[in-house]
Amino acid sequence: MKFLFIVITLGIFLTGSSQKLQPGFDAREYADLLSLAFHSSSIADSTERKKIKDPYQLVYRSSEAGLMNRWTLYLRNDNVAVINLRGTVNQTASWMANFYAAMIPATGSLTINDSTVFNYQLAADSKAMVHVGWAVSIAHLAPDIEQKINYYFKNKNITQYLVMGHSQGGALAFLLRSYLEYEKQKGKIPAEVIFKTYCSAGPKPGNMYYAYDFDFITRDGWAFNVVNAADWVPETPFSIQTLQDFNPTNPLIHAKDALKKQKLLVRFAGGMIYNKLEKKPRKAQKRFEKYLGNVMYKKGIKKILPQLKQPGYAKGNNYMRAGIPIVLMTDENYYKQFPESDENFFTHHLYSAYSYLLKKWYPE
């Protein structure tokens, strides 16, 4: 009996010690990843970098692909790997990825060129939709990332990954995490591999049903959306909610049928109000689909990716935030350090602002 107790205790110890990543927001962990995103080192101070060995070592950096997209793989000294997704760079193609903002179904395929079709699943719900520009970006990065995950599992026994991106990289981190989840469910990534995700300053990646799905697959503290309350980037893209975005049992969908049962005056007045309220969001959604989908593809995306076949767009623009929110709240002292500026639109978006607030609210 005593021997059995020792065996069980040892098994629990070994199992617990083999998993370095833990659920829950870890400010130190995020600080390291934020520094990696901006400085390619977890040590933000350039002087300290010369004195201290960085626990995160670069093992792979992809070539640029798609809409100027790139990802980097780091290996921490405890065999935890980091997938870092680069944000927007000062190139037209990179900005096009953001402005190509119509929605497509969260499950489908993208024809990249004459010989490459990217089949993807980013949610289980057929009503889920995602940002087309960032989906195209993921289509150019995900196969390489998946290949590296399987290689490092087979050859290095790497099973734990931190997925991180800032700004556009944060948006890509959402979609990549979803893609990896469903590849894992299909058996294309080993079941032993686990992911913890930090989407930093990330814009809204998809509609409400996508957000529900993302929060479900990362439940119990495995994915975070870190935002500076003064940063405008997480406010984007525009959100337009129409009746098509509601669950089918929502009474608002059936309001017109209910009005038919009312008296003539109520039916007439109610119908006028209903039509005005319902028509304007629907027309706005169509305009967004036209200009941020069709026009953006024809005038910009097709010139950069001439063999990319234009996908069929979903009828929606109801963009929602996803992930557990970690809000870095501003105050009077913050604005003394980072005053509002009509000239510098990224005052509240870059490393210094996020790092300042992180240290303020998570000083340890």
Side-chain angles (χ1 to χ4, degrees):
M1 182 63 73
K2 186 176 180 180
F3 174 76
L4 181 61
F5 174 77
I6 293 172
V7 170
I8 293 172
T9 303
L10 182 61
I12 292 171
F13 173 77
L14 290 173
T15 301
S17 63
S18 67
Q19 182 167 317
K20 293 90 178 178
L21 294 181
Q22 298 298 324
F25 179 69
D26 184 327
R28 177 70 263 170
E29 195 169 64
Y30 170 68
D32 289 348
L33 298 178
L34 184 66
S35 183
L36 280 176
F38 280 90
H39 307 300
S40 298
S41 170
S42 68
I43 304 168
D45 186 275
S46 57
T47 303
E48 289 298 311
R49 267 182 241 148
K50 299 174 183 178
K51 303 176 183 177
I52 304 171
K53 181 177 173 59
D54 194 338
Y56 295 81
Q57 294 300 307
L58 171 68
V59 294
Y60 175 79
R61 176 165 284 146
S62 75
S63 58
E64 290 180 336
L67 298 169
M68 296 295 291
N69 307 117
R70 169 174 273 174
W71 76 281
T72 305
L73 182 66
Y74 296 91
L75 189 60
R76 203 165 71 183
N77 55 16
D78 60 355
N79 272 2
V80 170
V82 176
I83 296 170
N84 176 259
L85 297 146
R86 188 172 72 176
T88 308
V89 295
N90 193 25
Q91 298 287 337
T92 300
S94 185
W95 282 102
M96 282 286 180
N98 300 328
F99 293 131
Y100 189 30
M103 281 187 166
I104 58 173
T107 299
S109 62
L110 290 166
T111 301
I112 305 302
N113 54 48
D114 295 339
S115 60
T116 308
V117 175
F118 178 67
N119 297 305
Y120 65 90
Q121 182 178 358
L122 306 177
D125 194 331
S126 61
K127 300 189 291 297
M129 309 173 191
V130 296
H131 185 287
V132 62
W134 299 327
V136 169
S137 298
I138 286 298
H140 286 84
L141 297 179
D144 186 33
I145 294 172
E146 185 173 351
Q147 188 274 329
K148 289 293 186 294
I149 290 171
N150 286 323
Y151 171 84
Y152 277 93
F153 175 81
K154 181 178 179 181
N155 294 282
K156 305 290 185 180
N157 196 32
I158 303 297
T159 61
Q160 298 175 64
Y161 284 83
L162 288 161
V163 178
M164 194 275 181
H166 186 85
S167 192
Q168 181 190 97
L172 299 185
F174 283 116
L175 300 190
L176 176 66
R177 176 64 185 88
S178 296
Y179 176 79
L180 296 176
E181 174 67 23
Y182 290 102
E183 289 296 279
K184 187 175 169 181
Q185 290 188 18
K186 295 169 188 173
K188 296 181 180 180
I189 292 174
E192 296 91 332
V193 178
I194 64 171
F195 302 99
K196 185 176 183 181
T197 307
Y198 289 93
C199 303
S200 179
K204 295 173 282 187
N207 71 345
M208 179 176 66
Y209 298 105
Y210 170 77
Y212 283 165
D213 192 277
F214 181 88
D215 290 348
F216 178 74
I217 64 173
T218 61
R219 63 192 180 277
D220 299 326
W222 288 99
F224 301 92
N225 185 4
V226 187
V227 298
N228 174 352
D231 187 2
W232 62 268
V233 173
E235 300 169 354
T236 60
F238 281 102
S239 296
I240 300 171
Q241 190 175 42
T242 70
L243 291 180
Q244 289 181 314
D245 297 308
F246 290 118
N247 276 313
T249 52
N250 192 308
L252 290 173
I253 295 177
H254 308 286
K256 204 162 188 177
D257 293 332
L259 284 170
K260 293 177 182 178
K261 301 175 183 178
Q262 303 301 316
K263 293 181 179 180
L264 178 62
L265 185 61
V266 175
R267 191 164 68 244
F268 178 74
M272 285 183 61
I273 295 170
Y274 177 88
N275 288 334
K276 287 183 178 181
L277 293 175
E278 187 274 335
K279 189 175 182 180
K280 288 186 177 181
R282 182 161 43 86
K283 289 181 70 174
Q285 188 279 315
K286 288 182 178 179
R287 288 195 192 98
F288 271 72
E289 182 181 328
K290 176 182 177 181
Y291 290 107
L292 300 182
N294 290 301
V295 173
M296 189 63 65
Y297 172 81
K298 292 173 183 176
K299 300 293 185 181
I301 299 296
K302 191 170 177 59
K303 294 178 181 179
I304 301 164
L305 300 172
Q307 292 192 42
L308 176 70
K309 184 178 179 181
Q310 183 172 204
Y313 304 117
K315 303 298 180 185
N317 275 87
N318 189 30
Y319 281 102
M320 292 282 182
R321 291 172 59 187
I324 298 170
I326 303 297
V327 179
L328 303 177
M329 189 59 70
T330 57
D331 59 11
E332 185 178 349
N333 289 330
Y334 169 83
Y335 287 107
K336 289 178 182 178
Q337 295 284 330
F338 303 93
E340 299 282 18
S341 171
D342 293 333
E343 298 177 356
N344 184 1
F345 299 118
F346 295 100
T347 298
H348 308 301
H349 185 62
L350 301 179
Y351 176 83
S352 55
Y354 272 76
S355 179
Y356 173 89
L357 288 173
L358 184 69
K359 292 174 182 175
K360 176 180 178 62
W361 299 121
Y362 298 89
E364 295 181 3

